[in-house]
Amino acid sequence: MAAAWAAVFPFIMAPEPHRVWGMSACLGYLCAAVAALSSRPRGRAVSVCLALGGAVVVPFVLLVLTGTAQSEVGVVERSGLLTLRQATPYLPDPHTVGEVTPYLPGMAVFGLPRAVLGESGLLPGLLGDARLWCAVAFLGCLWAARRAIRRPAGGPSAIGGGPSAVGGGASRGYAVGAFVASPAVALPLCVSGVDLPLTGLLFLALAFAARRRPVAAGLALAAACSLKWTAWPAVAVAVTLLAHHGGTRAAVRGAVVAVGGTVLLVLPSALLSPGPLVQQVFAFPTGRGPFETPAASPLPGRLLADLGPVGWYAAVALLLAGGLAVFVSLLVRPPHDLVSAADRLAVGLCVAFLLAPAGRFGYLALPVTLAVLARLVGGAHRKEPAHDLVVRTSRPARPTPVPAARSAR
């Protein structure tokens, strides 16, 4: 199925990066399928390696070396250069849609290598590409989340640890590798990569919250919330998860770190260029900026917004109602583990992306990735454990002692 999906890209996708990825990924998926059907002992490992090579390594290196990428990569790299020059990633008066920076100031970090190294030379061209550092951030978050999950709070043993879990750990490693090679991750990793750090940081924050580490969860949330404002709903999900495991005190600590860290990261740019930040980060993605956003997939919110001002307000009202419904669900039935928290956040993000006045189908890869990673890295879904439940076991009735016969006098 993945090979068939990738084979379509060279024929129907206009952007060149997508066509390059489709040709390479299709060949990699076909070779991986042949290896998976083989009866060799290492057939699964070879299959995952072939899929990663064809869908990630080869197209990534080719696209980076040729400088072929989606426009988002250039926007991130320009924002890094602007941050070095003027301490804010926003142009005061953009003249074209390509000069708009629709990200919060934290995203400029991935453009700093290009600003420092420049574009001359093979090595600077490779190391300066923002996609490389987006991929490094995503994979680093997966590694950190797996370590956090394998060392749960409250006990020295690791989930999946011990001699008997070696095979299970290897199976999960293959599963994570196969998912990274899937189109949901491999395509954005190669052609743009800007949503991968956000996804990785959100997953890492939920993993820390599930292990009762409020400060670490708050720091991961602050980093994510400084990249895109679409990460802000994750604060509510992580805080409720912290409250379930660590109580009110842990939830408050996590929330304070998350909100305070976000303010510290965003405030300098907000003070230096408040108008451009509001126009480019909030108004532009919702279709209210001076330029029309290229995110114009025929999703319900976009179709409503196209009807005019009344339709736009209707889409916003539905979006707010959907967000309120998800928030109420957090209060009525809070998430109790990593899987349930990732599912709840995925539902909230799906509602936001479907009902937003502007959006594209590619945004839905973020909630899908969160839900799948929670199951691959965090384990299968478990029902909420019962608390304060006393199980009484029946005891065999004690035999009635028979009085000893009195001796005759």
Side-chain angles (χ1 to χ4, degrees), residues 142 145 149 179 199-210 233-234 236-242 245 326 329-330 333-351 353 364-381:
L142 290 189
I149 292 169
F179 183 65
T199 306
L201 287 169
L202 292 180
F203 182 67
L204 181 61
L206 295 181
F208 283 142
V237 178
V239 166
T240 54
L241 184 59
L242 283 169
H245 285 289
V326 175
S329 74
L330 292 174
R333 189 177 179 83
H336 59 274
D337 62 1
L338 176 60
V339 175
S340 60
D343 288 346
R344 198 70 56 87
L345 179 56
V347 170
L349 291 176
C350 283
V351 171
F353 295 150
L364 298 175
L366 194 161
V368 170
T369 302
L370 285 175
V372 173
L373 284 178
R375 286 161 173 80
L376 294 181
V377 179
H381 181 78

Side-chain angles (χ1 to χ4, degrees), residues 26-73:
C26 179
L27 181 60
Y29 291 146
L30 290 176
C31 294
V34 173
L37 295 175
S38 66
S39 58
R40 296 180 179 179
R42 295 185 175 273
R44 181 170 52 177
V46 173
S47 176
V48 172
C49 291
L50 289 173
L52 287 171
V56 177
V57 178
V58 172
F60 182 83
V61 172
L62 183 60
L63 290 172
V64 168
L65 291 180
T66 58
T68 307
Q70 283 188 191
S71 59
E72 293 90 336
V73 178

